Amino acid sequence: MSRILRTPAEFTAEDHKIALRIAESALTVDGVERLTDIRAWFTARASLDIARVNRIPFAEMDRWGTDPRTGDLRHDSGRFFSIEGLAVEVPQGPVPRWTQPIVNQPEIGILGFLVQEFNGVLHFLVQAKNEPGNATGVQLSPTVQATRSNYTGVHGGAKVPYLGYFRDPDRHRIIADVLQSEQGSWFYQKRNRNIVIEVDEEIPLLDGFRWLTLGQLHRFLAEDDVVNMDARTVLSCLPFSAEDLTGALPSAGEGLPAAVLRSASPEQGARHTTAEILRWVTDARTSNEVRTRRMPLRDIDGWTRTADAIEHDDRLFFRVIAVRVETGHREVTGWTQPMIEPIGVGVIAFVVTRFDGVLHALVQARVEPGYLDVVELAPTAQWTPSNYTRLPAAAAPRFAGEILTARPEQVLFEATLSEEGGRFHRALNRYTIIELDPARGAALDTGPAHRWLALHQLVDLLRHSHYVNVQGRSLVACLHTLSGARDRP
Amino acid sequence: MSRILRTPAEFTAEDHKIALRIAESALTVDGVERLTDIRAWFTARASLDIARVNRIPFAEMDRWGTDPRTGDLRHDSGRFFSIEGLAVEVPQGPVPRWTQPIVNQPEIGILGFLVQEFNGVLHFLVQAKNEPGNATGVQLSPTVQATRSNYTGVHGGAKVPYLGYFRDPDRHRIIADVLQSEQGSWFYQKRNRNIVIEVDEEIPLLDGFRWLTLGQLHRFLAEDDVVNMDARTVLSCLPFSAEDLTGALPSAGEGLPAAVLRSASPEQGARHTTAEILRWVTDARTSNEVRTRRMPLRDIDGWTRTADAIEHDDRLFFRVIAVRVETGHREVTGWTQPMIEPIGVGVIAFVVTRFDGVLHALVQARVEPGYLDVVELAPTAQWTPSNYTRLPAAAAPRFAGEILTARPEQVLFEATLSEEGGRFHRALNRYTIIELDPARGAALDTGPAHRWLALHQLVDLLRHSHYVNVQGRSLVACLHTLSGARDRP
């Protein structure tokens, strides 16, 4: 393939080579298995791997209990996670102080894909995995999702398959390896290690796993609720060079998706230099004063605990519940646990436009109390409309209008996807990417909390922690589906 | 000037231009004022601006008191900072758990230099400033050192001069702007905004301030205890291109300092690619499990509180004291406050070498309990020898031998510098840079906690938070003094 690479500024020759191979994989819809065969396998797994999930009172949980001193929900091993209280002060915010339940899981987990080359094309080892919070059962997941409790065996169950490859990653070729945050409204400073390793030695293919090309993963990602959150966040950290895809596309220059993904060096088309973006982030982290304090769950205000739920008094935001899970397809065959159940379906949207042909996403510097570093870069808007029904229209998030009133031809991407099903029960969001024409984009008053970032700048920032939040990372993964092999057989 | 720029990978054309101007300033020893005149001014300020600092019992502090519930030391406004307790668990560390006093100052302060061009050369607006903890009185300091309490007027004193320029930095040219951490053994998650702004409009020169070139600052930085910590950390964040200096040096290729500072792109001479360094950081942050919990100061173990000190039972590490400060040269003319007084003089050292002519520093991935993100990149070794006198020789930090037994010709830099005198009383460290010959450097078993980083890679990482600790930043600033105009009149 002869292509002119225009890739993120930090890329080295080795990165270029990997970016090219990633592009190749994204362009491949039939890999070692055809897309139709993968779909048949997935359907079969979905009918086989069924979990029964029933809500139970907190008191009926096994090995989970209520701390008599604090009211926190804890596992009797002291591991996994706990549900505690958090006091938040944001003096300059619209709501200057509140208290809420929060999931505290200080351990850093691993979300990892093994990749391997077959017939010259990179394939990703994907697991069809059911989690108790999933609305539709089985989802396509990374090779490994493991908490430290998992891999130190605290749960007393079977070993996590393929975990050994990630214990000593330096033996293999590391394609991505970075700590990234999770939902800052629900998790207290939670991070996971997002890691992709290329292994040359033969890897046994276990039950429930298949090798997929990135092109196949992208097809499924465009469908409702098939690719899970953990897979999306890891995919977003790939050293992706959108330019590679565009150059190779048969329809390059023709259709929308191909053209909008043209990448560029920071000087050749990004609206702001990366230095300017970093200064803006520094300013947002300084001007937004956020103070959090962990507190006993029983002492939070505005929330009421019953036998089977902890709910906000206005029935907004989310509730804490307990569930019993019964399944034959997991490390342990049945268990109970607390979960977070969001109320209402959220909207998570990037507004994008092309400046001089270079795709830019309108990114928000967003405060969430669980972030380790005050602010992360978020989608243009992320909100749950039902939380706003009692508020005046002016309270709606900025750019909600552009997003909710987009004409069909402006919608580049739309799918209902779920957040992590191990902690969140039926946490569904409508992920969408709305394109404005360049004149409208240029005329938009972005205000101090939003900036236009070129896609390659987001890819650059994703090499580091603390920059792009988990919802933004999902949308970056969705943006990558727009290039590549969408229209090929 | 005709030079071939080989600068950090992320640099844009605008960055290159600024790097060139920074290099120009570093090469200039006589600016709008001659070095000798600056020295005379500094000596005069030192004899004029004298603070009397006396230790007092905790009970004699004004507006500072002991929280009756926790034993914490707090200001009655609730602002400034407090001294609290911290429980630390590092299960894999040599000491798996301990408790200690810690300074909690959640506000993000500003450390800022104003710069302006005179006769075509950038000058830095430097303040001769006395802080109560300084051993020698007045030090060269940034234009502005302000806590949020300072600039919101909680202290009830005079306004901080020049602060207005930093309140709306976008009006001016921002040369650096990044949040950086402070001492993770003494501060709980403290950060400051390190910022350098170029202002074109005329700036009034107030009493106690002078315009210095970077070359002049570098001269003073090589002397004992003249340039304060806040100035050093801000200078380390400049988008420095060492190559510029080397190329312009009259003695280029001859002497040691010029040759060692040759920069390179990440592929042309760095021992590890930046991607590899980032993966190593991710691995260090995952494998080092660190849990901290703030706790009442009165409940910490192994420390004893008397009327005028909180001391470790072995008289190691540091003590918490109270002082009364009397001065006519500050926002308020007298005050009392608690301070941290380290016990013993520390050694803070970079071991460096040249691989293919490119200067590399041996950097440690170091855990300190006050870091926001587990690990930061630290000097090759930083330790206080007197804390180790009771321990077997094997307990000494790695590479202490190379550092303490270096021959004079290996010592590229050596100066006793102090840490921030507003919080730390007589906190002196011997900063040193030791060069190994390339063969010895290449043969060194660095172990998992150390890696060789090229200087330009450190400059790149300093655009982001959470990477280089404050001691490492001081040494980066010291490294920059090795190039430039050292040997010119």
Side-chain angles (χ1 to χ4, degrees), chain A residues 10 13 191 267 373 464 467, chain B residues 10 13 191 267 373 464 467:
Chain A
E10 282 190 34
R191 270 113 51 83
E267 296 167 281
D373 200 0
H464 305 282
Y467 282 117
Chain B
E10 282 189 34
R191 270 113 51 81
E267 296 168 282
D373 200 359
H464 306 283
Y467 282 118

Side-chain angles (χ1 to χ4, degrees), chain A residues 9-10 12-15 79 92 106-108 148 151 169 174-175 177-179 191 193 266-267 273-275 278-279 282-283 285-287 289 291 372-374 461 463-467, chain B residues 9-10 12-15 79 92 106-108 148 151 169 174-175 177-179 191 193 266-267 273-275 278-279 282-283 285-287 289 291 372-374 461 463-467:
Chain A
E10 282 190 34
T12 64
E14 177 67 14
D15 294 330
R79 305 301 291 259
Q92 290 90 20
E107 303 173 339
I108 294 174
R148 187 179 280 267
Y151 59 83
I174 302 175
I175 293 179
D177 188 4
V178 60
L179 299 182
R191 270 113 51 83
R193 184 174 189 170
E267 296 167 281
T273 67
T274 297
L278 296 181
R279 288 163 203 156
T282 299
D283 197 60
R285 286 182 174 156
T286 312
S287 57
E289 200 181 0
R291 297 180 188 221
L372 206 55
D373 200 0
V374 189
L461 292 178
R463 302 179 68 174
H464 305 282
S465 306
H466 309 293
Y467 282 117
Chain B
E10 282 189 34
T12 64
E14 176 68 14
D15 294 331
R79 304 302 290 261
Q92 290 90 21
E107 303 174 340
I108 293 173
R148 187 180 282 266
Y151 59 84
I174 302 175
I175 294 179
D177 188 4
V178 59
L179 298 182
R191 270 113 51 81
R193 184 174 188 172
E267 296 168 282
T273 67
T274 297
L278 296 181
R279 287 164 203 154
T282 299
D283 196 60
R285 286 181 174 156
T286 313
S287 57
E289 200 179 1
R291 296 181 189 220
L372 206 56
D373 200 359
V374 189
L461 292 178
R463 303 178 69 175
H464 306 283
S465 307
H466 308 294
Y467 282 118

Side-chain angles (χ1 to χ4, degrees), chain B residues 319-355:
Chain B
R319 60 176 76 89
V320 181
I321 60 171
V323 298
R324 178 180 304 284
V325 185
E326 288 165 284
T327 166
H329 281 268
R330 208 174 148 113
E331 301 96 89
V332 288
T333 55
W335 72 93
T336 60
Q337 68 169 86
M339 299 196 86
I340 299 288
E341 181 178 55
I343 293 168
V345 174
V347 178
I348 293 177
F350 261 155
V351 169
V352 303
T353 196
R354 283 173 281 172
F355 293 120

